[in-house]
Each structure stands twice: as structure tokens, then as C-alpha cells.
Amino acid sequence: MHPMTPLLSIEAALARVLARARPLEAERVPVAETAGRVLAEDVGSSVDLPPFPSSAMDGFAVRTADTPGRLPVVFRIAAGVPADRPLGPGEAMEISTGGAVPEGADAVVPIENVVLSDNEVEISEATPSGAHIRPVGGDVLAGAALLAAGTQIGPAQVGALAAAGVAEVVCVRRPRVVVLSTGTELRAPGEELAAGQIYESNGPMLAAAVASAGAVVVRIGPVPDDETAQREALERGLQADVLVSSGGVSVGPHDLVRRLSAELGVEEEFWGVAVRPGKPVSFGTRGRTLVFGLPGNPVSALVAVELFVRPALLALQGAGDPGPRYESARLAAPLRRRAERDELARARTSRGADGTMLEPVSGQESHMIARAAAADALVLVPQGEGELAAGDIVRYLPLRP
Ligand code: AMP
Ligand code: MG
């Protein structure tokens, strides 16, 4: 038969994957299109932010020496409409939030704190210098560091780049990923099922997972367990940056993926990880192409993509921390540990008075994708004796849409 090489730990397997996932080439990207991308270079601000002393309130720009006092209103400053001259002694200028504080003024008195009559403001209290003025560069100075290489860009980062006047940034290009489903029994959803057939779910599922990790996806298959068909499909997949196949990596007579991959020049780094589900996962490379052979059982494929493929895709994009990013929460019900393998149990989070609770879903077998769909977390159950008890703080991987 085909004895499995000794099973690697999850950490050891991940380390081997990440050692091969070197960042791809960089490209310029318009800031509005950077959500989800990873910066390849540090970015500095191109302007002082704010670029001028600006008002934090709707109110009146004054000299603090003139407060308290009754001052004539000599100009109305709006956002984008600065004063046409400096503020003189004994004068006030109306100013809107975001308006440029005029030369000569050193404070803004909020409109709520004045009495306005006959184009004069009555200010009843002394105003401290600098009140309600946002200083030049108070957020960031021109040329100062804004975002570091390796940062994954989300909405706040897009906002910061745009605010700082940055029009384009350098990001690592998106990895091109082929998702290949193997199995003679598989039919596309919408087709008629004949005896012994099932709907193919790994293709759409893995495509969704890798797309959410920033990759550009092409799907191939389902491809029957036929040497010629699978060799041709694998060779096509090997043209990508990453090939993610599912099925056909176990030891049955129809499991062809590993042998055919080896014949096509893929050098296997490992086959078999001490994880449940997902044990028969394989990983190798051909040239710069990363090659993942995921098991066919849908929940096994789901676990393997989160543990190994998503981090690899983020590392290819130059992420500083490619993950997987475990979080901690309290277990709502006990989970039995297994002597020989770590387990990733499907669980549902809920918010209680004590913070997040993790409730394992019923139906923990590796073919039960419908049960797994009720979960939004993978709880790490470390291998060992006994059980994790209800109330224990455990580590889990969030499953995000
Ligand atoms: P395999 O790893 O090819 O031995 O497949 C293990 C189990 O997963 C079998 O029950 C297959 O029918 C099932 N399976 C394989 N590929 C898929 C797929 N793309 N979608 C749904 N189930 C699959
Ligand atoms: Mg199969």
C-alpha cells in the first residue's frame, strides 16, 4: 500500500508552506481599488493633514486676548472659502467646521457659546488659546510615514491614503489561482443527478475562499478520475501561481492527483498533517507555482484552505502577518480531545455577558458541509487526552464571509 509519511504538525506544515510563499511582483494600483490588497512599499503622506489650521466647530474665529468681549463679525468663512484678509484686533469672523482659521486668530468659540445680535458676537468667557483649532499636520505631517509595507488595506486605510493625497500605491499583484475539482461522481449544481452521483461543492466553496483572500480565480472541472483528463487539467492548473485541487489525494485506486502531479514535475513538500479533518492534504511546488492537494470531503477542504491556502495567498501578496489569526473565546460545551491529531471543530459564536461563547454544531463529520454552514468558527482542539471542558478559554479561527 502507500504508507503515509509521519504526519506533520499543523505548525510545521504551515512553516513549510510559508517558506515557499514568497511575495509576487508589485504593481501600481489606484487607491480606490486597493481594498483587500497588501502594500508592497511604505507610503508617506504627500501633504500636512490638515493642510491648514482648520476649525473643529461651527463658531467664530477670534483673538483670545479679545475674550470675553463683544466683537463685530467682519467675514463669513466657509469650508473651502477662506478669509480674504487677516483677522484684526477686536474683530471676529464667522467660521464653519473645516474652514481655514484666518491669520491673526488663535481660537474658535463655538456658536453654542455666543449670543449673536446686530452682526456682533457677545462672548461671555475667556477663551483658551488654540481652542477648537485643528493644527496643521495634527493628523499626519507631509512626508511622515502613513502606512507600512505589508499592511493589508481596508476601508480606514483607503480613507487615510486618499486624505493624504495619495492617488496610487504599489501593491503586490493578486495571485492567480486555479481551483480544480476531481471526482467522477461529481455533477454541477443544477444538473440531474444519476445513481451514485453528488453535487460538486468544493469548486465553488474553494473559489469563494481564495477570492476572499485577494486571489483571481479560475475554476476547472469537475474532472473525472481518468488519467488523461486529470493530467491535462493539472497541467493547465500548473500555469497559475497557485493550484488548489480537491479530491484524489488519498490512497484509493482512483486517487491520481499526487502521482500525476509528480509526473508533471511537482516536488512534494509534504503529504499528511496531524489534523482532523484534513489529514491527507498535500503540498508541493513546481517552479514558482504552489500546489495544494486538498482532500475531497468538503469540510476537510474547508479546514485545509483556512489553515494553509489562505495564509499562503496572503504571504504571496506580501502580508506582514499572513495568519491564520486565531482568536480566543469560551467554550459553551465540552469537546473531546483526540490522542493522535489536532482537531478543528465547527462551532457557532454568540455574544454573552462573559464575552464570546463557542457552541459546537451538531454533526462534526467531514462530509457534513450543510452542518458546517451553521458554524462561523473553527475551534482548535489540541491533540491529547481527556476533553476541553465547558467554560474553558480556547483558540478558534473565525470563518468570515
Ligand atoms: P476523495 O478525497 O476524492 O477520496 O473524496 C472524498 C469524499 O469527498 C468523497 O465522498 C467524494 O465524493 C467527496 N468529494 C470529492 N470532491 C468533492 C467535491 N468537489 N464536492 C463535493 N464532494 C466531493
Ligand atoms: Mg475522489
Side-chain angles (χ1 to χ4, degrees), residues 265 285-290:
T285 57
R286 190 180 81 171
R288 285 202 66 184
T289 301
L290 308 183

mmCIF file of all heavy atoms in Angstrom, residues 265 285-290:
data_model
loop_
_atom_site.group_PDB
_atom_site.id
_atom_site.type_symbol
_atom_site.label_atom_id
_atom_site.label_comp_id
_atom_site.label_asym_id
_atom_site.label_seq_id
_atom_site.Cartn_x
_atom_site.Cartn_y
_atom_site.Cartn_z
ATOM 1 N N GLY A 265 6.154 17.002 -12.669
ATOM 2 C CA GLY A 265 7.283 17.777 -12.161
ATOM 3 C C GLY A 265 7.039 18.488 -10.846
ATOM 4 O O GLY A 265 7.865 19.292 -10.412
ATOM 5 N N THR A 285 5.604 22.078 -4.913
ATOM 6 C CA THR A 285 5.838 23.217 -5.805
ATOM 7 C C THR A 285 6.319 22.699 -7.158
ATOM 8 O O THR A 285 6.920 21.621 -7.262
ATOM 9 C CB THR A 285 6.935 24.162 -5.256
ATOM 10 O OG1 THR A 285 8.136 23.420 -5.067
ATOM 11 C CG2 THR A 285 6.525 24.795 -3.937
ATOM 12 N N ARG A 286 6.033 23.470 -8.184
ATOM 13 C CA ARG A 286 6.711 23.297 -9.472
ATOM 14 C C ARG A 286 7.138 24.674 -9.904
ATOM 15 O O ARG A 286 6.292 25.530 -10.177
ATOM 16 C CB ARG A 286 5.819 22.661 -10.531
ATOM 17 C CG ARG A 286 6.650 22.266 -11.781
ATOM 18 C CD ARG A 286 5.844 21.625 -12.867
ATOM 19 N NE ARG A 286 5.135 22.616 -13.680
ATOM 20 C CZ ARG A 286 4.482 22.323 -14.812
ATOM 21 N NH1 ARG A 286 4.435 21.054 -15.237
ATOM 22 N NH2 ARG A 286 3.866 23.265 -15.487
ATOM 23 N N GLY A 287 8.452 24.888 -9.953
ATOM 24 C CA GLY A 287 8.940 26.237 -10.195
ATOM 25 C C GLY A 287 8.391 27.141 -9.104
ATOM 26 O O GLY A 287 8.476 26.824 -7.922
ATOM 27 N N ARG A 288 7.767 28.259 -9.528
ATOM 28 C CA ARG A 288 7.212 29.180 -8.528
ATOM 29 C C ARG A 288 5.760 28.859 -8.182
ATOM 30 O O ARG A 288 5.138 29.537 -7.379
ATOM 31 C CB ARG A 288 7.304 30.637 -9.022
ATOM 32 C CG ARG A 288 8.712 31.187 -8.955
ATOM 33 C CD ARG A 288 8.689 32.700 -8.927
ATOM 34 N NE ARG A 288 8.079 33.226 -7.696
ATOM 35 C CZ ARG A 288 7.870 34.521 -7.467
ATOM 36 N NH1 ARG A 288 8.190 35.410 -8.373
ATOM 37 N NH2 ARG A 288 7.322 34.927 -6.331
ATOM 38 N N THR A 289 5.183 27.840 -8.830
ATOM 39 C CA THR A 289 3.776 27.510 -8.571
ATOM 40 C C THR A 289 3.643 26.692 -7.293
ATOM 41 O O THR A 289 4.350 25.704 -7.097
ATOM 42 C CB THR A 289 3.196 26.719 -9.759
ATOM 43 O OG1 THR A 289 3.311 27.513 -10.939
ATOM 44 C CG2 THR A 289 1.731 26.376 -9.528
ATOM 45 N N LEU A 290 2.739 27.146 -6.424
ATOM 46 C CA LEU A 290 2.426 26.390 -5.211
ATOM 47 C C LEU A 290 1.286 25.432 -5.535
ATOM 48 O O LEU A 290 0.320 25.821 -6.188
ATOM 49 C CB LEU A 290 2.006 27.318 -4.075
ATOM 50 C CG LEU A 290 2.940 28.481 -3.737
ATOM 51 C CD1 LEU A 290 2.408 29.249 -2.525
ATOM 52 C CD2 LEU A 290 4.357 27.990 -3.468
#
